[in-house]
Amino acid sequence: MQQKNWSTTAFNDKAWYGVTVKDFPKDKLVATVNEPVRKHETFKPVKIFTTPKGEKVIDFGQNLVGWVQMKVSGHEGDKITLSHAEVIDKAGNFYTENLRTAKSEDVYILKGDGEETFEPQFTWQGFRYIKVEGYPGDLKPENFTAIALYSDMKPTGTFSCSNLQINQLQHNIQWGQKGNFLDIPTDCPQRDERLGWTGDAQVFSRTASYNMNVHNFFAKWLKDVAADQYPNGSVPHVIPNVLESSGGGGSTGWADVSTIIPWNMYLAYGDKKILEDQYNSMKAWVNYMQQQSTNDLWNTGPHFGDWLFYSLNDDTDGSSAITNKYLIAQCFFAHSTQLLINTAKVLGKKEDEDYYTALLAKTKAAYLKEYVTPNGLISSDTQTAYVLALQFDMLPENLRQQAAARLVKNISRYNMHLTTGFLGTPYLCGVLSRFGYARVAYRLLLQDTYPSWLYPVTMGATTIWERWDGIRPDGSFETPSMNSYNHYAYGAIGDWMYRVIAGIDTKEDAPGYKHIVIKPTIGGSLQYASADYDTNYGKVSSHWKLENSNLLLDVEIPANTTATVYIPADNINAVFESDKPVTKAKDIKTTDPIHGYVALNIGSGIYHFKTATIPEK
């Protein structure tokens, strides 16, 4: 209950607890450079109802992170409790078991002096629904407002297409990011966890950079990663490190946050300083993996593996998609080494570049010797095993295409469903489209039965779920001990939607979209797809649609940049710009084509391309 005159000098605060002074070490103080957390969107109730148990519940229509502002008039001492939940159970009752030990309650005691407005200041909740207890009178929409909180990052990207379910997926990806980017990248915002899990952050980092400007957000958090990194180079599972007092960490795919996010931020923003700042941390992590290896093979230590992969409880025929954790570790060992080589090259560290190039060759040779047969069968015959091998170039050129074919065969075994977990999923569609299977990638994206990206959409999700089947088709729930409904990791597919469907990317040798790549991939029964992205130079756009057997591609390239545009066409004579043959445009230069595409070099400006025919994909 608010005490009268508590904010004035006349108030007697002797009964209040005083400030406790502690002597913490000050050798790792890091000044914050990222944006503050602020209030953003607001939501009014879309439904107020009474559950079968008699609970008074408000539905705000969106799973969000923040709090509820409540207006109320009552008597002094009246107690009102707001409980928060993400879902309603199959019987229609308020459900909080998946919050584990978190109470997720706000309790207010009225002072009884006319209309009062309550709004928390020192906590937040993850919720779509609230249960209201003790409220005097009827619950009315005008008295309750849900307020979203997240770091004040500028929105930079939009994606939409002709498929409404994919548009909802994009919405869910963005709200998963908003709900978990509160000063640090948390894995989930609602249960008794809310930790900066490194694996979740690294798999989502490139997608995050399309949706919002996360340059400062990650630059600051990566300094925290370096500050909490152990002296031996191992990286804790969560940052800030509140789980381990000493030692530990070092899980493959999680600790690689120290190399993957710096490189992704360099690609997105062209900022060499983030590589300079993180270089020692990157190098220390690669050195740690090398030290843990025997004959360049890292097959020791505890790892989370391909977390939450597809599995069956009564697996009588071996359908559970189990990938050897050490196989995964060797792939990420090589990947982080490659990223360190790239970084050393950018920073002019030739000695390191040469040393780690030699190490990379040895790690790949050790991988081939341990895990791959001479004809290209990988010992873990899973989607994740083939995806990582192909994404990280673990196989020699002559074995790559057959590995992609094995991947497609595996997908077919599961009736065109993915079986990947946290580490395989982010790269799945990218690998398929890279090796000529864009049609299969589209089928996976558009799949709407479990396990798939669209299955949660069909079940009414407004954010990304932790599990593919957080709510089963019969309305029952997955195990409550690990069943978050706001967990952004699987939203990493957003990267593929921007980079492959719409086709917006940056050249690695001209990062930060100094030299832009526009290469849309037509398919999936989509009639159009549009993406806009605000780079540091200005807006880049790629909007395509199918019309009267033609492909129309509208492109915008910002000032002080150049771009290579790949038009899906087999012949340069079939391509027009502003209804004129592109061959007659003096400011558009042809360059080397690739299979199925005509390649054009252009400068800044707005372009309207058209192909006379649509090549079969």
Side-chain angles (χ1 to χ4, degrees), residues 128-169:
R128 171 175 171 171
Y129 302 90
I130 62 169
K131 179 176 67 176
V132 185
E133 298 173 281
Y135 191 90
D138 296 331
L139 304 184
K140 297 180 179 180
E142 59 266 26
N143 291 329
F144 296 88
T145 304
I147 302 172
L149 298 178
Y150 49 89
S151 289
D152 197 19
M153 304 163 292
K154 177 187 174 184
T156 51
T158 61
F159 175 92
S160 64
C161 67
S162 58
N163 186 297
L164 296 181
Q165 288 185 322
I166 297 299
N167 292 342
Q168 182 64 45
L169 174 64

Side-chain angles (χ1 to χ4, degrees), residues 56 273 294 362 457 484 503 564:
K56 301 293 184 181
K273 189 174 187 305
T294 301
K362 290 185 287 186
V457 171
S484 161
T564 300

Side-chain angles (χ1 to χ4, degrees), residues 539-608:
K539 185 173 76 171
V540 55
S541 297
S542 175
H543 299 183
W544 63 260
K545 66 178 178 179
L546 305 181
E547 185 177 279
N548 299 326
S549 298
N550 291 324
L551 168 67
L552 308 182
L553 175 63
D554 294 335
V555 172
E556 182 173 354
I557 304 301
N560 299 314
T561 68
T562 56
T564 300
V565 179
Y566 294 89
I567 311 290
D570 294 324
N571 190 322
I572 186 66
N573 295 318
V575 180
F576 297 80
E577 197 286 313
S578 296
D579 292 325
K580 298 178 181 178
V582 73
T583 53
K584 295 184 178 181
K586 62 179 182 179
D587 294 328
I588 298 176
K589 308 298 181 184
T590 59
T591 187
D592 294 336
I594 60 176
H595 179 68
Y597 288 89
V598 168
L600 307 171
N601 285 332
I602 62 175
S604 60
I606 297 175
Y607 301 84
H608 306 285

Side-chain angles (χ1 to χ4, degrees), residues 228-236 246-250 280-281 283-292:
D228 274 350
Q229 194 166 9
Y230 296 118
N232 65 358
S234 179
V235 177
S246 62
N280 289 337
S281 172
K283 187 175 177 179
W285 168 238
V286 172
N287 288 345
Y288 171 83
M289 290 186 284
Q290 184 181 19
Q291 292 159 8
Q292 300 301 309

Side-chain angles (χ1 to χ4, degrees), residues 239-459:
I239 302 294
N241 181 17
V242 297
L243 293 183
E244 304 153 342
S245 57
S246 62
S251 179
T252 190
W254 272 252
D256 297 275
V257 68
S258 58
T259 56
I260 292 173
I261 294 187
W263 184 253
N264 280 346
M265 294 304 101
Y266 171 69
L267 292 180
Y269 303 110
D271 181 13
K272 284 175 59 175
K273 189 174 187 305
I274 201 166
L275 297 182
E276 293 168 351
D277 290 345
Q278 299 303 130
Y279 187 77
N280 289 337
S281 172
M282 299 170 75
K283 187 175 177 179
W285 168 238
V286 172
N287 288 345
Y288 171 83
M289 290 186 284
Q290 184 181 19
Q291 292 159 8
Q292 300 301 309
S293 303
T294 301
N295 296 325
D296 305 301
L297 187 69
W298 187 23
N299 58 1
T300 60
H303 300 284
F304 294 116
D306 193 28
W307 190 250
L308 295 179
F309 58 87
Y310 174 76
S311 62
L312 300 173
N313 290 330
D314 187 17
D315 189 7
T316 56
D317 68 348
S319 291
S320 294
I322 301 172
T323 308
N324 185 316
K325 293 182 180 181
Y326 298 129
L327 180 153
I328 295 173
Q330 192 71 7
C331 290
F332 276 93
F333 180 12
H335 182 48
S336 279
T337 303
Q338 180 66 71
L339 296 182
L340 183 60
I341 294 166
N342 296 349
T343 301
K345 186 174 182 179
V346 170
L347 300 180
K349 298 180 181 292
K350 187 66 169 62
E351 186 176 344
D352 280 356
E353 182 186 348
D354 293 342
Y355 175 83
Y356 290 105
T357 297
L359 175 62
L360 178 63
K362 290 185 287 186
T363 61
K364 290 186 177 182
Y367 169 85
L368 289 172
K369 180 180 179 181
E370 184 76 5
Y371 299 115
V372 184
T373 67
N375 67 348
L377 176 67
I378 297 177
S379 57
S380 289
D381 189 25
T382 64
Q383 292 174 24
T384 290
Y386 288 107
V387 164
L388 296 182
L390 292 167
Q391 176 68 24
F392 300 152
D393 294 335
M394 301 299 292
L395 303 172
E397 289 279 359
N398 66 307
L399 290 181
R400 292 179 187 177
Q401 200 61 48
Q402 65 83 34
R406 291 180 189 271
L407 170 61
V408 172
K409 183 178 179 181
N410 186 287
I411 293 169
S412 298
R413 174 190 171 190
Y414 293 92
N415 195 24
M416 306 310 292
H417 287 80
L418 54 77
T419 61
T420 47
F422 272 32
L423 297 184
T425 300
Y427 307 114
L428 176 56
C429 286
V431 163
L432 288 167
S433 53
R434 173 185 169 190
F435 286 93
Y437 293 102
R439 182 176 294 178
V440 177
Y442 263 115
R443 286 194 65 179
L444 290 178
L445 177 65
L446 295 171
Q447 180 64 257
D448 63 2
T449 57
Y450 164 79
S452 68
W453 285 284
L454 293 187
Y455 170 73
V457 171
T458 68
M459 299 300 289

